[in-house]
Amino acid sequence: MTSNTHVPANLPAHRLSVVVPMYNEEELAHDLINAVQAALASYPQPWELIVVDDGSRDRTWQLLRERAREVGPHIRIVRLLRNFRQTAAMQAGIDAARGDVIVTMDGDLQNDPRDIPRLVHRLLVEDLDMVAGWRQNRQDGFWLRKVPSKIANRLIRRVSGLDFHDLGCSLKAFRTEVLREVRLYGEMHRFIPAWLATVTSPTRMAEEPVRHHARTKGQSKYGLSRTLRVIVDLLSIHYFLRFGTRPGHFFGGLGLFVLSLGLLILAYLGALKL
């Protein structure tokens, strides 16, 4: 990954916060800070990098702090005392962010920080609330990563009605005031566009092709074990998108169904008695 970055001209004034969750990534701790620093070295607006150590059990925390001290105070390290998982770590970084614009990305350097200026430029120039990365050429394993991702994206598009190609890409740019209208929990970080659709119009969201790299160090710490939690969260999204402003329609319909079923059973038992 080279350090040259093209910063679009006429970038509107703003403050940028880059939020990155990491868990047991001691091999990449220095590399991540170096890559973001190189990518944003010529960035014309104030920026900060917030790395959230998600309760790592290796030397990730120590190495992040060490490198942050060397680079400067715009590198901020947030430590969670235990492993709360990726979504909670991302929410902690969002809460700590000071910028008007927040960019989220993974800590494994498969997302390319050189794409950050382009996403932020489109967000501000086109007056959007979110620009999501679209990994058109994913450098992942076919069966364990690409196939589950395609299935998940199809399900999420069907449930949410959002026409996005790659909802699972962590590289996204947001307006801070809009992103903070939602709270992330469970595995909700992959459903942020769907959650944002409850507080803003889908017409204020877009996606932008971004680079994607194969992992060169370490192994993924957030694997397929989260599949069941993703399905549960998907059901939650389905409920909030359809019935969030009219919960009586959901529970009323459920109540009418149970009442009708009870009346049918009562009628059957009455007929047997007679």
Side-chain angles (χ1 to χ4, degrees), residues 54 83-88 90 156 167-168 183-193 195 221-234 236-237:
D54 187 18
N83 179 226
F84 287 93
R85 300 187 183 278
Q86 189 173 5
T87 300
M90 189 173 288
I156 297 169
L167 287 161
R183 297 293 297 179
L184 306 179
Y185 55 89
E187 295 294 332
M188 293 299 189
H189 69 279
R190 64 187 58 256
F191 305 136
I192 292 178
W195 282 117
K221 311 305 187 300
Y222 301 107
L224 293 176
S225 60
R226 61 193 173 188
T227 302
L228 181 59
R229 296 190 298 273
V230 169
I231 293 173
V232 173
D233 288 339
L234 191 58
S236 299
I237 287 178

Short mmCIF file of all heavy atoms in Angstrom, two decimals, residues 54 83-88 90 156 167-168 183-193 195 221-234 236-237:
data_model
loop_
_atom_site.label_atom_id
_atom_site.label_comp_id
_atom_site.label_asym_id
_atom_site.label_seq_id
_atom_site.Cartn_x
_atom_site.Cartn_y
_atom_site.Cartn_z
N ASP A 54 -10.62 -3.11 21.52
CA ASP A 54 -11.80 -3.82 21.99
C ASP A 54 -11.42 -4.93 22.98
O ASP A 54 -11.69 -6.11 22.75
CB ASP A 54 -12.55 -4.39 20.78
CG ASP A 54 -13.90 -5.00 21.15
OD1 ASP A 54 -14.41 -4.71 22.26
OD2 ASP A 54 -14.43 -5.78 20.34
N ASN A 83 -13.73 -7.47 25.90
CA ASN A 83 -14.15 -7.56 24.51
C ASN A 83 -15.67 -7.43 24.39
O ASN A 83 -16.41 -8.33 24.74
CB ASN A 83 -13.68 -8.90 23.92
CG ASN A 83 -14.10 -9.08 22.48
OD1 ASN A 83 -14.58 -10.14 22.10
ND2 ASN A 83 -13.94 -8.06 21.67
N PHE A 84 -16.12 -6.25 23.92
CA PHE A 84 -17.55 -6.00 23.74
C PHE A 84 -18.01 -6.27 22.32
O PHE A 84 -19.17 -6.07 22.01
CB PHE A 84 -17.87 -4.54 24.11
CG PHE A 84 -17.83 -4.27 25.58
CD1 PHE A 84 -16.67 -3.80 26.18
CD2 PHE A 84 -18.95 -4.47 26.37
CE1 PHE A 84 -16.63 -3.54 27.54
CE2 PHE A 84 -18.93 -4.21 27.73
CZ PHE A 84 -17.77 -3.75 28.31
N ARG A 85 -17.13 -6.63 21.43
CA ARG A 85 -17.37 -6.93 20.02
C ARG A 85 -17.36 -5.65 19.18
O ARG A 85 -17.39 -4.55 19.68
CB ARG A 85 -18.65 -7.74 19.81
CG ARG A 85 -18.62 -9.09 20.54
CD ARG A 85 -19.83 -9.96 20.18
NE ARG A 85 -19.81 -11.20 20.93
CZ ARG A 85 -19.11 -12.28 20.60
NH1 ARG A 85 -18.35 -12.26 19.51
NH2 ARG A 85 -19.17 -13.37 21.34
N GLN A 86 -17.33 -5.88 17.89
CA GLN A 86 -17.01 -4.82 16.94
C GLN A 86 -18.00 -3.66 16.97
O GLN A 86 -17.60 -2.49 16.91
CB GLN A 86 -16.95 -5.41 15.52
CG GLN A 86 -16.42 -4.45 14.47
CD GLN A 86 -16.22 -5.14 13.13
OE1 GLN A 86 -16.55 -6.31 12.96
NE2 GLN A 86 -15.68 -4.42 12.17
N THR A 87 -19.29 -3.94 17.06
CA THR A 87 -20.29 -2.87 17.03
C THR A 87 -20.15 -1.96 18.23
O THR A 87 -20.17 -0.72 18.09
CB THR A 87 -21.71 -3.46 16.97
OG1 THR A 87 -21.84 -4.26 15.79
CG2 THR A 87 -22.74 -2.35 16.93
N ALA A 88 -20.00 -2.53 19.43
CA ALA A 88 -19.85 -1.71 20.64
C ALA A 88 -18.57 -0.90 20.58
O ALA A 88 -18.54 0.27 21.01
CB ALA A 88 -19.86 -2.61 21.87
N MET A 90 -17.12 0.19 17.86
CA MET A 90 -17.35 1.27 16.89
C MET A 90 -18.19 2.38 17.52
O MET A 90 -17.92 3.57 17.33
CB MET A 90 -18.02 0.71 15.64
CG MET A 90 -18.10 1.69 14.49
SD MET A 90 -18.73 0.92 12.99
CE MET A 90 -17.32 -0.10 12.52
N ILE A 156 -30.53 -8.18 3.54
CA ILE A 156 -30.64 -6.82 4.08
C ILE A 156 -31.33 -5.90 3.09
O ILE A 156 -32.18 -5.08 3.46
CB ILE A 156 -29.25 -6.27 4.46
CG1 ILE A 156 -28.63 -7.12 5.57
CG2 ILE A 156 -29.35 -4.82 4.91
CD1 ILE A 156 -27.16 -6.82 5.83
N LEU A 167 -23.41 -3.62 1.81
CA LEU A 167 -23.76 -3.04 3.10
C LEU A 167 -22.79 -3.45 4.20
O LEU A 167 -22.73 -2.83 5.26
CB LEU A 167 -25.18 -3.45 3.49
CG LEU A 167 -26.28 -2.74 2.68
CD1 LEU A 167 -27.58 -3.51 2.76
CD2 LEU A 167 -26.48 -1.33 3.16
N GLY A 168 -22.00 -4.51 3.97
CA GLY A 168 -21.08 -4.99 4.98
C GLY A 168 -19.73 -4.28 5.00
O GLY A 168 -18.92 -4.55 5.89
N ARG A 183 -28.26 4.44 17.78
CA ARG A 183 -27.34 3.76 18.69
C ARG A 183 -27.09 2.36 18.15
O ARG A 183 -28.04 1.65 17.75
CB ARG A 183 -27.91 3.67 20.10
CG ARG A 183 -28.14 4.99 20.77
CD ARG A 183 -26.86 5.74 21.07
NE ARG A 183 -25.98 5.03 22.00
CZ ARG A 183 -24.80 5.49 22.39
NH1 ARG A 183 -24.36 6.67 21.92
NH2 ARG A 183 -24.07 4.81 23.24
N LEU A 184 -25.84 1.94 18.15
CA LEU A 184 -25.46 0.66 17.59
C LEU A 184 -25.26 -0.37 18.69
O LEU A 184 -24.64 -0.07 19.71
CB LEU A 184 -24.17 0.80 16.77
CG LEU A 184 -24.16 1.87 15.69
CD1 LEU A 184 -22.81 1.91 15.00
CD2 LEU A 184 -25.27 1.64 14.69
N TYR A 185 -25.78 -1.56 18.48
CA TYR A 185 -25.60 -2.66 19.42
C TYR A 185 -25.71 -3.96 18.64
O TYR A 185 -26.07 -3.97 17.46
CB TYR A 185 -26.63 -2.60 20.55
CG TYR A 185 -28.07 -2.57 20.09
CD1 TYR A 185 -28.78 -3.75 19.88
CD2 TYR A 185 -28.72 -1.36 19.85
CE1 TYR A 185 -30.09 -3.72 19.44
CE2 TYR A 185 -30.02 -1.33 19.40
CZ TYR A 185 -30.71 -2.51 19.21
OH TYR A 185 -32.01 -2.48 18.76
N GLY A 186 -25.43 -5.09 19.32
CA GLY A 186 -25.48 -6.38 18.63
C GLY A 186 -24.46 -6.43 17.51
O GLY A 186 -23.27 -6.23 17.70
N GLU A 187 -24.94 -6.70 16.29
CA GLU A 187 -24.10 -6.67 15.09
C GLU A 187 -24.58 -5.57 14.15
O GLU A 187 -24.48 -5.67 12.93
CB GLU A 187 -24.15 -8.02 14.37
CG GLU A 187 -23.57 -9.17 15.16
CD GLU A 187 -22.07 -9.04 15.37
OE1 GLU A 187 -21.41 -8.40 14.53
OE2 GLU A 187 -21.56 -9.57 16.38
N MET A 188 -25.10 -4.47 14.73
CA MET A 188 -25.78 -3.44 13.96
C MET A 188 -24.85 -2.60 13.09
O MET A 188 -25.33 -1.85 12.25
CB MET A 188 -26.57 -2.52 14.89
CG MET A 188 -27.74 -3.19 15.59
SD MET A 188 -28.97 -3.79 14.40
CE MET A 188 -30.29 -4.24 15.53
N HIS A 189 -23.53 -2.68 13.30
CA HIS A 189 -22.65 -1.83 12.51
C HIS A 189 -22.77 -2.12 11.01
O HIS A 189 -22.58 -1.24 10.18
CB HIS A 189 -21.19 -1.99 12.95
CG HIS A 189 -20.60 -3.32 12.62
ND1 HIS A 189 -20.81 -4.45 13.40
CD2 HIS A 189 -19.81 -3.71 11.59
CE1 HIS A 189 -20.17 -5.47 12.86
NE2 HIS A 189 -19.55 -5.05 11.77
N ARG A 190 -23.12 -3.35 10.67
CA ARG A 190 -23.27 -3.69 9.25
C ARG A 190 -24.62 -3.23 8.70
O ARG A 190 -24.84 -3.27 7.50
CB ARG A 190 -23.08 -5.19 9.04
CG ARG A 190 -24.13 -6.05 9.69
CD ARG A 190 -23.80 -7.52 9.60
NE ARG A 190 -22.52 -7.81 10.21
CZ ARG A 190 -21.40 -8.05 9.51
NH1 ARG A 190 -21.41 -8.05 8.21
NH2 ARG A 190 -20.28 -8.30 10.13
N PHE A 191 -25.52 -2.80 9.59
CA PHE A 191 -26.84 -2.36 9.14
C PHE A 191 -27.02 -0.85 9.29
O PHE A 191 -28.15 -0.36 9.31
CB PHE A 191 -27.94 -3.06 9.96
CG PHE A 191 -27.87 -4.55 9.94
CD1 PHE A 191 -28.04 -5.29 11.10
CD2 PHE A 191 -27.64 -5.24 8.76
CE1 PHE A 191 -27.98 -6.68 11.09
CE2 PHE A 191 -27.57 -6.62 8.74
CZ PHE A 191 -27.75 -7.34 9.90
N ILE A 192 -25.93 -0.11 9.44
CA ILE A 192 -26.05 1.32 9.67
C ILE A 192 -26.90 2.02 8.61
O ILE A 192 -27.74 2.86 8.94
CB ILE A 192 -24.66 1.99 9.78
CG1 ILE A 192 -23.95 1.50 11.06
CG2 ILE A 192 -24.78 3.51 9.82
CD1 ILE A 192 -22.56 2.06 11.24
N PRO A 193 -26.74 1.71 7.31
CA PRO A 193 -27.60 2.38 6.33
C PRO A 193 -29.09 2.15 6.60
O PRO A 193 -29.91 3.07 6.44
CB PRO A 193 -27.18 1.74 4.99
CG PRO A 193 -25.76 1.34 5.22
CD PRO A 193 -25.71 0.88 6.65
N TRP A 195 -30.47 1.55 9.56
CA TRP A 195 -30.84 2.35 10.74
C TRP A 195 -30.94 3.82 10.39
O TRP A 195 -31.84 4.53 10.87
CB TRP A 195 -29.81 2.15 11.86
CG TRP A 195 -29.99 0.87 12.59
CD1 TRP A 195 -29.11 -0.17 12.66
CD2 TRP A 195 -31.12 0.45 13.37
NE1 TRP A 195 -29.62 -1.20 13.41
CE2 TRP A 195 -30.85 -0.84 13.86
CE3 TRP A 195 -32.34 1.04 13.69
CZ2 TRP A 195 -31.74 -1.55 14.66
CZ3 TRP A 195 -33.23 0.35 14.48
CH2 TRP A 195 -32.94 -0.93 14.96
N LYS A 221 -10.69 -11.60 13.53
CA LYS A 221 -11.16 -11.89 14.89
C LYS A 221 -12.66 -11.84 15.00
O LYS A 221 -13.24 -12.18 16.02
CB LYS A 221 -10.55 -10.87 15.87
CG LYS A 221 -9.04 -10.67 15.73
CD LYS A 221 -8.27 -11.96 15.83
CE LYS A 221 -6.76 -11.73 15.85
NZ LYS A 221 -6.23 -11.06 14.66
N TYR A 222 -13.32 -11.33 13.96
CA TYR A 222 -14.78 -11.25 13.96
C TYR A 222 -15.27 -12.15 12.83
O TYR A 222 -15.44 -11.73 11.70
CB TYR A 222 -15.26 -9.81 13.72
CG TYR A 222 -14.77 -8.83 14.75
CD1 TYR A 222 -13.77 -7.89 14.44
CD2 TYR A 222 -15.31 -8.80 16.03
CE1 TYR A 222 -13.34 -6.98 15.38
CE2 TYR A 222 -14.88 -7.88 16.97
CZ TYR A 222 -13.90 -6.98 16.64
OH TYR A 222 -13.47 -6.07 17.56
N GLY A 223 -15.51 -13.44 13.14
CA GLY A 223 -15.77 -14.41 12.09
C GLY A 223 -17.22 -14.80 11.93
O GLY A 223 -18.14 -14.07 12.28
N LEU A 224 -17.45 -16.03 11.41
CA LEU A 224 -18.79 -16.49 11.09
C LEU A 224 -19.63 -16.82 12.32
O LEU A 224 -20.82 -17.06 12.20
CB LEU A 224 -18.70 -17.73 10.18
CG LEU A 224 -18.13 -17.48 8.78
CD1 LEU A 224 -18.02 -18.79 8.02
CD2 LEU A 224 -18.99 -16.50 8.01
N SER A 225 -19.02 -16.81 13.51
CA SER A 225 -19.78 -17.09 14.73
C SER A 225 -20.86 -16.06 14.98
O SER A 225 -21.78 -16.29 15.76
CB SER A 225 -18.83 -17.13 15.93
OG SER A 225 -18.17 -15.90 16.09
N ARG A 226 -20.78 -14.91 14.32
CA ARG A 226 -21.75 -13.85 14.54
C ARG A 226 -23.00 -14.02 13.68
O ARG A 226 -23.92 -13.19 13.75
CB ARG A 226 -21.11 -12.50 14.23
CG ARG A 226 -20.64 -12.37 12.80
CD ARG A 226 -19.76 -11.17 12.62
NE ARG A 226 -19.17 -11.16 11.27
CZ ARG A 226 -18.24 -10.32 10.88
NH1 ARG A 226 -17.79 -9.43 11.72
NH2 ARG A 226 -17.76 -10.36 9.66
N THR A 227 -23.08 -15.07 12.85
CA THR A 227 -24.17 -15.21 11.90
C THR A 227 -25.53 -15.19 12.57
O THR A 227 -26.45 -14.50 12.12
CB THR A 227 -24.01 -16.52 11.09
OG1 THR A 227 -22.75 -16.50 10.42
CG2 THR A 227 -25.12 -16.66 10.07
N LEU A 228 -25.69 -15.93 13.68
CA LEU A 228 -26.99 -15.98 14.37
C LEU A 228 -27.36 -14.61 14.89
O LEU A 228 -28.52 -14.19 14.78
CB LEU A 228 -26.93 -17.00 15.51
CG LEU A 228 -28.24 -17.17 16.31
CD1 LEU A 228 -29.36 -17.62 15.39
CD2 LEU A 228 -28.04 -18.17 17.44
N ARG A 229 -26.39 -13.87 15.45
CA ARG A 229 -26.67 -12.53 15.95
C ARG A 229 -27.07 -11.59 14.83
O ARG A 229 -27.92 -10.71 15.01
CB ARG A 229 -25.45 -11.98 16.69
CG ARG A 229 -25.07 -12.77 17.93
CD ARG A 229 -24.01 -12.04 18.74
NE ARG A 229 -22.77 -11.85 17.99
CZ ARG A 229 -21.79 -12.75 17.94
NH1 ARG A 229 -21.91 -13.91 18.56
NH2 ARG A 229 -20.69 -12.49 17.27
N VAL A 230 -26.47 -11.77 13.66
CA VAL A 230 -26.83 -10.95 12.50
C VAL A 230 -28.28 -11.17 12.12
O VAL A 230 -29.03 -10.23 11.83
CB VAL A 230 -25.89 -11.24 11.32
CG1 VAL A 230 -26.42 -10.61 10.04
CG2 VAL A 230 -24.49 -10.75 11.60
N ILE A 231 -28.72 -12.44 12.13
CA ILE A 231 -30.10 -12.76 11.77
C ILE A 231 -31.08 -12.14 12.76
O ILE A 231 -32.10 -11.56 12.37
CB ILE A 231 -30.29 -14.29 11.70
CG1 ILE A 231 -29.47 -14.87 10.53
CG2 ILE A 231 -31.76 -14.64 11.53
CD1 ILE A 231 -29.46 -16.38 10.48
N VAL A 232 -30.76 -12.22 14.06
CA VAL A 232 -31.62 -11.63 15.08
C VAL A 232 -31.71 -10.11 14.89
O VAL A 232 -32.79 -9.52 14.97
CB VAL A 232 -31.10 -11.97 16.49
CG1 VAL A 232 -31.89 -11.20 17.55
CG2 VAL A 232 -31.22 -13.46 16.76
N ASP A 233 -30.57 -9.47 14.62
CA ASP A 233 -30.57 -8.03 14.41
C ASP A 233 -31.33 -7.66 13.14
O ASP A 233 -31.96 -6.60 13.07
CB ASP A 233 -29.14 -7.51 14.31
CG ASP A 233 -28.44 -7.52 15.67
OD1 ASP A 233 -29.15 -7.55 16.69
OD2 ASP A 233 -27.20 -7.52 15.70
N LEU A 234 -31.28 -8.53 12.14
CA LEU A 234 -32.01 -8.28 10.91
C LEU A 234 -33.52 -8.28 11.17
O LEU A 234 -34.27 -7.46 10.62
CB LEU A 234 -31.66 -9.35 9.87
CG LEU A 234 -32.12 -9.10 8.43
CD1 LEU A 234 -31.58 -7.79 7.90
CD2 LEU A 234 -31.69 -10.26 7.54
N SER A 236 -34.85 -7.41 13.99
CA SER A 236 -35.10 -6.16 14.71
C SER A 236 -35.26 -5.00 13.73
O SER A 236 -36.16 -4.16 13.88
CB SER A 236 -33.95 -5.86 15.68
OG SER A 236 -33.82 -6.87 16.64
N ILE A 237 -34.39 -4.97 12.72
CA ILE A 237 -34.47 -3.91 11.72
C ILE A 237 -35.79 -3.97 10.97
O ILE A 237 -36.44 -2.96 10.72
CB ILE A 237 -33.29 -4.02 10.73
CG1 ILE A 237 -32.01 -3.57 11.42
CG2 ILE A 237 -33.52 -3.18 9.50
CD1 ILE A 237 -30.80 -3.69 10.55
#
